Amino acid sequence: FSQVKREMKKADSNVSAVKQFVLLGFSDLSDLQGFLFGVFCTIYIIIITGNSLIIILTRLDPALQKPMYFFLANFSFLEICFVSVTLPRILVNLWTQDRSISLVACATQMCFLLMLGATECFLLAVMAYDRYVAICNPLHYPLVMNQMMCVQLTVGSWIIGIPVQIGQTAQIFSLHFCNSNQINHFCCDIPPILKLACGDTFAHEISVYIVAILFVTVPFMLILVSYSKIIFTILKLPTASGRAKAFSTCSSHLLVVLLFFGSGTITYLRPKSKHSEETDKLLSLFYTIVTPMFNPMIYSLRNKDVIAALRKLLFKNSTRQ
């Protein structure tokens, strides 16, 4: 009996509460730490500058005082928040080579990453609905997409994921971590954290799938429905120039949707057996950092109104000087 008690005590000591984790990040690329710091620092500056510029343009230019650009400004602000959850930590880790992160900081990072990711899914669905109303019901557009409706849809997108993602984060961090405290990732995301958990995590994995279906699949299906109706309406337009103009207003948004949802879906909806640490890291890098960097370019370079507003702003500044 005393032998059994000793074995149980030994098992309990193996499941000791982890107080901090180590984010391995890009530690395997030891010769490239300085180069990677420069690259990520440049990317962060591009993201902040590009998205801030879109927010400023949509606020200052009267031609951009439309629901489409109101949603775009919110989306740009969201991208700044989203990337600020991960990139500063990556830069600190690369600069100091101290990769430790407390359990509370790790849980906080995951919670904000999940909440802002859910917001992005629903905000992209709202933007698709806006394009649907504009193209399929142009006469009712000012009535349907009034200021109150725009604010309600935006606020709804921002808050809908908060209680669920706080609950999911609390559930995951209620697990015991005994395998290791080393996270083979650059941020505290669900797949690498679950790999460190002791015992059976099947119920938690099912929970992750259910939440992913609600917050990824449902908005994506709404976007597909919106765009199927948009494309059907565009193809019925009598002139080629009308079709080209309608397609150009939607193509930027559709490209962003494919980039974000593609990488996000593969990350969260793949079976655990298919998860590879390096693939997870690459996909997370894509939807948390690369996509926010390209979004301002996609929206500005493919949008005549935004380009015109930018030229006006630059020309006004040059004439003042």
Side-chain angles (χ1 to χ4, degrees), residues 54-55 57-59 63-77 123 126-127 130-131 141 145-155 158:
I54 286 178
I55 294 167
L57 289 175
T58 54
R59 293 288 295 172
L64 301 183
Q65 303 300 309
K66 299 173 185 175
M68 175 183 174
Y69 299 108
F70 172 75
F71 294 129
L72 181 56
N74 268 277
F75 187 70
S76 295
F77 177 66
L123 197 53
V126 166
M127 291 168 81
D130 171 69
R131 291 298 82 211
Y141 183 68
M145 299 305 291
N146 56 59
Q147 191 176 7
M148 180 64 77
M149 175 61 85
C150 292
V151 171
Q152 286 174 344
L153 288 170
T154 305
V155 171
W158 277 93

Side-chain angles (χ1 to χ4, degrees), residues 181-213:
N181 72 334
Q182 295 191 333
I183 303 169
N184 190 11
H185 212 283
F186 58 83
C187 66
C188 294
D189 205 355
I190 292 176
I193 293 289
L194 277 179
K195 282 184 180 177
L196 303 183
C198 313
D200 187 16
T201 59
F202 181 73
H204 292 83
E205 286 166 38
I206 294 298
S207 170
V208 170
Y209 277 112
I210 291 167
V211 172
I213 287 166

Side-chain angles (χ1 to χ4, degrees), residues 33-62:
Q33 298 297 292
F35 172 73
L36 287 172
F37 179 84
V39 169
F40 284 120
C41 197
T42 305
I43 288 171
Y44 195 36
I45 292 166
I46 290 168
I47 291 168
I48 299 291
T49 307
N51 284 290
S52 297
L53 191 59
I54 286 178
I55 294 167
I56 292 164
L57 289 175
T58 54
R59 293 288 295 172
L60 296 180
D61 198 290

Side-chain angles (χ1 to χ4, degrees), residues 135-136 228-240 242-243 246-247:
I135 292 168
C136 300
S228 62
K229 291 186 177 182
I230 286 167
I231 291 166
F232 185 70
T233 304
I234 289 172
L235 292 174
K236 289 197 296 183
L237 292 174
T239 62
R243 288 194 292 273
F247 269 122

